[in-house]
Amino acid sequence: MTADAAPVVAESDVVVVGGGSAGVAAAVSAARNGVSVILVERYGCLGGMASGGMVLVLDDMVNGREVTVRGLCTEYISRLDKLGLAKYPGPDEWGADPVSVRRWTRWGASDFHFSGTPKPICYSVAFDPDGWKRVSLDLVREAGVRLRLHSWSAGVVMEATRVTGVRCLTKAGFQELRGQVVIDTSGDLDVAAAAGASFVHGRYLVTTVFRLGSVDVEAAERHWDEQPREAAMLNRRAKLILGGAWENWWLRTPLPGVVWCNCPHLSGYDGIDPESQTAAEIAGRDRIYALVDYARSALPGFERCFVVDVASQLGVRQTRLLQGEYVVTMADIASRRHFVDSVARGRDYYTPYRALLPREVEGLLVAGRHYSAEPQAQRVSREIPPCMSMGEAAGAAAALAVEQNVAVRDIDVAVLRRRLRAQGHDPGDVPSANASPASED
């Protein structure tokens, strides 16, 4: 069967393509706003980079002491907490108090935007990847979303310039899904690019994330306390073996004896080129196994460590970026520029609705790391919480367009923002005190 001959196997008001964190947020948000939703995911689980990619800290969601990413992100954290699969500092522990810094740095709760040392503690959440999969599935099922796993987006259905559906490649062959509105949460702009939307092709680091088990975390931290110079020397050697890593290349997780290693970082690879992706996977694993041999022989607390798992998804940070109705710039991010059509937030920055809208294509919204931004701006605004914020906004916008029978670019953004507020989301309609003035440009 060819793609053009694909049977229509399902129809709904909204089709969301990509079951990562932004996609789950979009699907649940749309469904809770009263429309029928299909969620398409290529893997056998939901969560994207938060689960398959094992990016196991939620950050970039506070502006000083103000939590700016709320809504479904907060709901995830609450549910993970009840399962015992989330760890985070309370408000009384935020800041540079030495006791808090000692306790929370190895949980990934340091403010990585702070240029000095030690880095103060801020609101960040360490979590378990399988817990994330579980919560994602619970949310989707509770909202009544029709889930289609093991379905790879492989094309679009168009009527003139309007997207009316997507084609997926499955073990049963090509299948077609139809919807009034399609939301591209693929992470790589798969749907929008296939529909003819303008984009730029960016590149950044990729990472083969892994976890180690049987680590005596207390012994490892005690060595840093008691012999900091020796520990720093051994840490430098570990980072040389990895070839690219953050200063704290291992962090604690909610599972006893299991540490998370957001490394090795690999440069020069293309996240949408299968040959390049293959080379990155191989190079990353070679470095991981070399690091494990070294850790067992040299690092206190790691004598009996072993590889629990390597992320099933390559940690891709940037590929195609939409060039939409508005392109967010590095100056926008750095100046905390507020927008009159802000619908989503990250740390101290704002995302306008126009940055979710392709210029040339109708019936389509984009949410996630591939939103409309300059490559440099995207590098500092692509973390999981702001992507979830975009997804939640896009889902509510799609539902509003269906309800009012208007194009997604013609919805009333003021109505959208009121709905988002009502569901616990911060759309950025009320700027923080440190925001720069709003502009329609």
Side-chain angles (χ1 to χ4, degrees):
M1 180 194 302
T2 66
D4 291 339
V8 178
V9 296
E11 298 185 32
S12 65
D13 296 324
V14 177
V15 177
V16 180
V17 182
S21 301
V24 171
V28 171
S29 179
R32 287 180 176 179
N33 276 279
V35 296
S36 60
V37 181
I38 295 171
L39 175 59
V40 180
E41 168 55 35
R42 59 177 172 168
Y43 292 107
C45 63
L46 296 170
M49 285 293 106
S51 57
M54 292 203 308
V55 180
L56 303 184
V57 172
L58 298 174
D59 53 18
D60 220 34
M61 54 183 178
V62 289
N63 177 24
R65 301 189 68 83
E66 175 194 14
V67 179
T68 55
V69 180
R70 296 182 176 272
L72 279 164
C73 186
T74 299
E75 191 168 341
Y76 261 93
I77 294 166
S78 176
R79 292 188 181 216
L80 288 164
D81 197 17
K82 289 179 181 177
L83 295 170
L85 297 175
K87 294 284 288 186
Y88 51 90
D92 59 330
E93 297 175 291
W94 302 350
D97 177 76
V99 175
S100 292
V101 171
R102 169 66 175 79
R103 180 182 180 188
W104 289 105
T105 294
R106 284 289 180 182
W107 288 99
S110 299
D111 183 354
F112 61 89
H113 293 283
F114 184 78
S115 58
T117 55
K119 295 186 182 299
I121 299 305
C122 65
Y123 180 51
S124 298
V125 181
F127 63 91
D128 177 74
D130 273 280
W132 193 274
K133 295 175 188 177
R134 176 179 174 178
V135 171
S136 299
L137 188 57
D138 286 347
L139 288 168
V140 163
R141 290 190 293 186
E142 290 167 15
V145 174
R146 296 164 65 188
L147 178 61
R148 298 184 70 88
L149 300 173
H150 303 288
S151 300
W152 195 292
S153 174
V156 293
V157 183
M158 304 280 292
E159 291 181 2
T161 61
R162 180 169 173 263
V163 177
T164 59
V166 294
R167 293 190 179 95
C168 296
L169 180 60
T170 75
K171 287 292 186 179
F174 287 101
Q175 297 181 337
E176 197 168 290
L177 308 170
R178 294 291 183 94
Q180 294 184 52
V181 178
V182 175
I183 306 177
D184 183 345
T185 52
S186 64
D188 299 308
L189 205 72
D190 294 341
V191 177
S198 298
F199 65 89
V200 295
H201 188 164
R203 290 192 189 187
Y204 193 25
L205 301 171
V206 300
T207 304
T208 49
V209 179
F210 64 104
R211 292 188 295 177
L212 298 177
S214 197
V215 175
D216 187 337
V217 176
E218 301 303 328
E221 292 196 327
R222 190 165 55 248
H223 182 245
W224 272 96
D225 291 339
E226 297 174 354
Q227 301 183 58
R229 292 184 64 181
E230 178 180 279
M233 179 191 68
L234 295 174
N235 195 60
R236 285 194 296 272
R237 175 60 182 158
K239 289 171 63 179
L240 284 172
I241 293 170
L242 289 165
W246 310 127
E247 179 62 24
N248 294 317
W249 59 269
W250 66 268
L251 296 174
R252 300 180 71 146
T253 76
L255 303 183
V258 176
V259 300
W260 172 53
C261 307
N262 186 12
C263 52
H265 302 324
L266 308 162
S267 60
Y269 294 91
D270 186 344
I272 55 174
D273 179 339
E275 290 190 2
S276 186
Q277 290 173 294
T278 301
E281 298 274 12
I282 293 170
R285 287 178 180 269
D286 285 345
R287 296 185 192 184
I288 290 168
Y289 300 135
L291 182 278
V292 171
D293 290 341
Y294 170 73
R296 286 173 177 163
S297 66
L299 298 184
F302 285 77
E303 296 87 351
R304 299 174 59 247
C305 75
F306 61 90
V307 176
V308 174
D309 49 9
V310 178
S312 58
Q313 293 179 232
L314 182 65
V316 176
R317 291 171 172 83
Q318 184 181 103
T319 56
R320 305 183 192 98
L321 300 177
L322 178 69
Q323 298 293 278
E325 291 289 346
Y326 184 84
V327 180
V328 174
T329 68
M330 190 62 198
D332 293 333
I333 303 292
S335 67
R336 308 180 188 92
R337 185 180 187 185
H338 183 245
F339 299 92
V340 294
D341 62 336
S342 170
V343 293
R345 294 201 64 177
R347 178 182 66 258
D348 56 0
Y349 52 85
Y350 305 81
T351 303
Y353 184 60
R354 289 164 293 160
L356 311 183
L357 287 170
R359 291 195 301 262
E360 309 90 344
V361 182
E362 302 299 327
L364 180 66
L365 288 162
V366 170
R369 71 171 188 239
H370 51 305
Y371 83 112
S372 182
E374 294 176 347
Q376 284 297 115
Q378 186 267 2
R379 289 187 181 190
V380 295
S381 60
R382 55 169 177 76
E383 301 290 343
I384 291 169
C387 287
M388 294 181 72
S389 183
M390 285 185 251
E392 188 165 357
L400 185 60
V402 171
E403 175 188 316
Q404 298 183 346
N405 194 30
V406 298
V408 289
R409 69 178 70 254
D410 294 331
I411 66 165
D412 187 330
V413 175
V415 173
L416 170 62
R417 299 202 294 193
R418 287 196 294 271
R419 289 195 177 185
L420 290 169
R421 279 282 177 191
Q423 63 194 50
H425 174 89
D426 184 348
D429 52 335
V430 180
S432 300
N434 59 355
S436 61
S439 172
E440 297 186 19
D441 296 337

